[in-house]
Every structure is written in C-alpha cells, then in structure tokens.
C-alpha cells in the first residue's frame, strides 16, 4: 500500500500515519521528522534546512528530494509507505509523479485529505506548544505554517483529485474515529479501483 497524507499543520497527519503504517504494515515517512533529525544531527542538509523549519517556510525542493528519495525508494521495495508531508507543493507532486512513471511500483494508490477547521488546528498546535512543543510551535510561526499550507499545499489536491486518488476525511473527531474513517475510505477507494 502506498498512501499520501495531505492536511494542514495540526490536522493529525503524523498521528494517523503512525497508526496507518502499523495497520497496513508499511513504512511511515515523515518529511518533517526527517528534516528535524538532520537539523539535530547538525548535518550539511540540516544546517541548510534549519532556517526554513524555524520560520515555517518550505525547504527548497532540491534539498527535499535529496533527503526523501532514498527512503521512498527503499520503502516502495519493502511493502509500501505512508508519506506524511511530501509531496507538499504542486511542483513536488508533478516531479514525484514524473519519477514514479519511470519506476514501477512506487506510484501513489490513495491520497488522504484530512479536513480540520482553522480554530481546531490552532487549538491543537497551541496545546502542543504548551507541552512538549516543537521549535515551530510558536503562535506567529503556526499562523505562517497555516498560510503556507493554504497557498502552497492545498492547490496540490486538484492534481490528485483529477486522478481519482483523493479521499476526504473529517479529521475533527477523536483519533480512533478519524482512523476508522480513513481506513474505510481508503479500502473503499482501493476496492473501487481493483
Ligand atoms: P511537518 O513536520 O510536516 O509539520 P506540519 O505540516 O506543520 O504539521 P504537524 O506535524 O505540526 O501536524 P500534523 O498534521 O502531523 O499533526 P499531528 O499528528 O502532529 O513540517 C515541518 C516543516 O518541515 C515545514 O514547515 C517545512 O519547513 C519542512 N518540510 C516538511 N516537508 C516538506 C516538504 N515536502 N517540502 C518542503 N519543506 C518541508 O497532530 C498535531 C497535534 O494535535 C498533536 O499534539 C496531536 O496529539 C493532536 N491531535 C492529532 N489528532 C487529534 C485529534 N483527532 N483530536 C485531538 N488532537 C489531535
Ligand atoms: Mg506531523
């Protein structure tokens, strides 16, 4: 199974991706987690990406592909993946689609779009900020990340919708309810395509 999560910051991409990876026995690939690991390790890529993460801006495409490509190819060869945070722009989606067209067994099979209102997104991210908060969980940066999603990421949904891959799922319920809804929608889509 090869899935992509598309949703704004705080919608539950990571929370649900961990569960989906376990349920379908596939790898969970979080672009944000991979970048935070590089930053923490002080690698060359991490040093170049750090300022973008801190501001809530997107890391330049060249760096993104450099970090993600080996993980995606490896996971594709071992049962599949749930991509959490990549592709994140129309340009990244088009590039990934183009690469997938040249290699068999890596193209996406479903795109999970979690729908959560801005008030709830803010509430969740501010709650996380008050606990173990990430470096980018500061109110001004959170607002910026949400704006970047609306401007750069949301337009990508049309690309996948035109290919019949998008399932829209209400992400405002409890974690278990949202999970059940995702699995139901993905399995229904796959059954329809089979
Ligand atoms: P990334 O790490 O992807 O962060 P994000 O999109 O800002 O999203 P979050 O991880 O904050 O939210 P989430 O949707 O995963 O929700 P979560 O499950 O954590 O990206 C970070 C940065 O990396 C970017 O800004 C950019 O700089 C860079 N980057 C990454 N990918 C890139 C790319 N492809 N190109 C360029 N740059 C890239 O949940 C949030 C909170 O809500 C948690 O506390 C959770 O416990 C809670 N919660 C979850 N579900 C529920 C629920 N149903 N009910 C109540 N609470 C819930
Ligand atoms: Mg996340």
């Amino acid at each position: 199974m090869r899935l992509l999560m598309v949703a704004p910051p705080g919608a539950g991409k990571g929370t649900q991706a961990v569960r989906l990876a376990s349920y379908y026995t596939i790898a969970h690939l979080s672009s944000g987690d991979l970048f935070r690991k590089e930053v923490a390790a002080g690698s060359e890529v991490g040093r170049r990406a750090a300022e973008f993460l801190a501001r809530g801006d997107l890391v330049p495409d060249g760096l993104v592909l450099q970090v993600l490509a080996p993980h995606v190819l490896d996971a594709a060869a071992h049962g599949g993946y749930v991509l959490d945070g990549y592709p994140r722009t129309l340009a990244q989606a088009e590039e990934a689609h183009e690469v997938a067209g040249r290699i068999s067994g890596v193209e996406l099979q479903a795109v999970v779009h979690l729908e959560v209102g801005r008030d709830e997104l803010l509430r969740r991210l501010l709650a996380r900020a008050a606990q173990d908060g990430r470096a980018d969980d500061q109110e001004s940066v959170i607002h910026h990340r949400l704006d970047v999603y609306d401007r750069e990421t949301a337009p990508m949904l049309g690309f996948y919708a035109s290919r019949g891959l998008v399932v829209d799922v209400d992400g405002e319920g409890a974690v278990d309810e949202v999970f059940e809804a995702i699995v139901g929608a993905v399995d229904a889509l796959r059954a329809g395509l089979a």
Side-chain angles (χ1 to χ4, degrees), residues 16-164:
Q16 297 298 336
V18 167
R19 286 165 174 74
L20 290 165
S22 162
Y23 181 80
Y24 289 113
T25 323
I26 53 181
H28 170 210
L29 297 181
S30 160
S31 51
D33 287 351
L34 289 168
F35 280 121
R36 283 184 286 276
K37 227 179 261 176
E38 296 288 340
V39 171
S43 68
E44 168 67 21
V45 166
R47 280 198 298 276
R48 290 169 63 194
E51 60 179 291
F52 295 93
L53 271 87
R55 288 199 305 263
D57 281 326
L58 297 180
V59 172
D61 286 348
L63 275 187
V64 176
L65 204 61
Q66 186 182 334
V67 170
L68 265 292
H71 295 280
V72 175
L73 293 175
D74 183 58
H78 297 94
Y81 46 68
V82 49
L83 296 178
D84 161 9
Y86 171 84
R88 207 177 183 97
T89 65
L90 186 55
Q92 289 180 9
E94 287 171 346
E95 183 178 34
H97 182 72
E98 200 266 320
V99 172
R102 288 188 264 120
I103 308 166
S104 75
V106 297
E107 74 284 1
L108 285 168
Q109 294 170 305
V111 175
V112 177
H113 172 219
L114 294 178
E115 298 176 302
V116 178
R118 190 149 175 147
D119 288 350
E120 173 65 6
L121 297 171
L122 260 179
R123 192 194 66 71
R124 290 182 189 176
L125 292 172
L126 290 173
R128 187 171 69 186
Q131 295 175 0
D132 54 342
R134 275 178 10 199
D136 56 353
D137 283 341
Q138 297 165 37
E139 187 157 3
S140 62
V141 179
I142 290 170
H143 280 289
H144 184 62
R145 284 157 59 203
L146 292 169
D147 290 343
V148 168
Y149 174 84
D150 289 343
R151 196 176 58 239
E152 306 278 347
T153 307
M156 188 178 81
L157 283 164
F159 176 84
Y160 292 117
S162 69
R163 289 166 174 78

